[in-house]
Every structure is written in C-alpha cells, then in structure tokens.
C-alpha cells in the first residue's frame, strides 16, 4: 500500500485552514494553491506585480515538488487563477520562463478573488514522478 508524504512551509494559511503545501502518494504529487506569501516572514510579497507574484509562486511550487522527491521536469499540469485580465500576459510569461522547457498542461482562469486583497495570482500544480 502506498504511503502518503506531506510537505508544509511556514505559510500561515496552511495551519489556519489545515492543509499541506504538497502531498505525495505513490508517483503523484499535488501542490496546493500557492500564493506569494513568504513562508519565512508570512507577508505577501510583490502586492503590485502579478508577474513577480507568479515567478515567486512557480519557484515555491518547484521547491515543494523537490521536497517530496520530484523535480521540475515532473510537473505535468498547472492551474493559474488570476484576478485581473491585464495580468494574464505577465503570468503566462512567468509560466514560460519558469516551466517553458517542461511545457506542462495549463489552465488560466481570470476573475478570481482571494483570501487577501493584495493577492493577484494563485497557482496549483500536479506532478508525476517516474521510477
């Protein structure tokens, strides 16, 4: 029977709402919706830049996958939730610069509302680890 591994950070929403940043069972890794909340300071970073938020988020997602034994290349799907229409291009560019060589399946939904007024982007990801 496959065991479940969990990865948590210092993000305050993880403990407040009772979830893990990422969960692995067998070859599957699921990364929760991730924002630009800094795990160390618990403050939202880059409140005026969806692009910088997205770049930070993709780096956090990659770290979470790696913490559970995967790699950037194992990321198969991302779902991007964006508050404003004008941020779709910058968020898409952050996807390309962070994971363009991986080219995962992707969905972007516009018009989302988040738990903090300065959050402009939230991204979740799924990975499949070979071997």
């Amino acid at each position: 029977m496959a065991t479940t591994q969990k990865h948590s950070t210092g993000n305050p929403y993880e403990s407040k709402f009772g979830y893990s940043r990422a969960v692995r069972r067998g070859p599957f890794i699921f990364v929760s919706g991730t924002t630009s909340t800094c795990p160390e300071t618990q403050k939202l970073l880059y409140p005026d830049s969806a692009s910088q938020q997205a770049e930070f988020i993709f780096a956090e997602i990659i770290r979470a996958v790696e913490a559970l034994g995967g790699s950037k290349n194992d990321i198969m799907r991302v779902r991007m939730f964006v508050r404003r229409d004008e941020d779709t291009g910058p968020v898409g560019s952050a996807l390309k610069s962070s994971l363009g060589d991986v080219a995962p399946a992707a969905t972007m939904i516009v018009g989302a509302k988040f738990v903090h007024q300065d959050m402009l982007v939230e991204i979740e990801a799924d990975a499949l680890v070979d071997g």
Side-chain angles (χ1 to χ4, degrees):
M1 184 177 205
T3 60
T4 300
Q5 297 173 272
K6 297 177 182 176
H7 171 68
S8 295
T9 67
N11 185 307
Y13 296 105
E14 292 172 25
S15 60
K16 181 177 181 178
F17 297 132
Y19 68 93
S20 299
R21 172 64 35 221
V23 176
R24 178 175 180 171
R25 185 169 181 107
F28 304 102
I29 299 174
F30 306 99
V31 183
S32 295
T34 304
T35 64
S36 64
T37 303
C38 178
E40 291 80 27
T41 65
Q42 300 187 357
K43 301 221 184 283
L44 184 79
L45 302 176
Y46 316 112
D48 299 319
S49 174
S51 175
Q52 288 180 298
Q53 284 189 19
E55 289 170 12
F56 178 88
I57 292 165
F58 283 120
E60 284 295 299
I61 287 170
I62 292 166
R63 274 192 281 282
V65 169
E66 290 172 345
L68 292 174
S71 74
K72 170 181 159 176
N73 291 328
D74 296 322
I75 298 172
M76 297 286 110
R77 179 176 176 83
V78 297
R79 288 170 217 75
M80 299 165 282
F81 303 90
V82 181
R83 175 173 284 175
R84 305 179 304 211
D85 289 335
E86 61 267 25
D87 291 329
T88 58
V91 171
S93 293
L95 168 63
K96 187 172 184 176
S97 69
S98 300
L99 295 172
D101 54 331
V102 178
T107 300
M108 186 182 298
I109 298 171
V110 180
K113 291 191 177 188
F114 304 109
V115 298
H116 189 285
Q117 66 184 11
D118 292 331
M119 290 176 179
L120 303 174
V121 183
E122 184 168 337
I123 302 170
E124 58 184 39
D126 302 327
L128 178 61
V129 180
D130 292 328

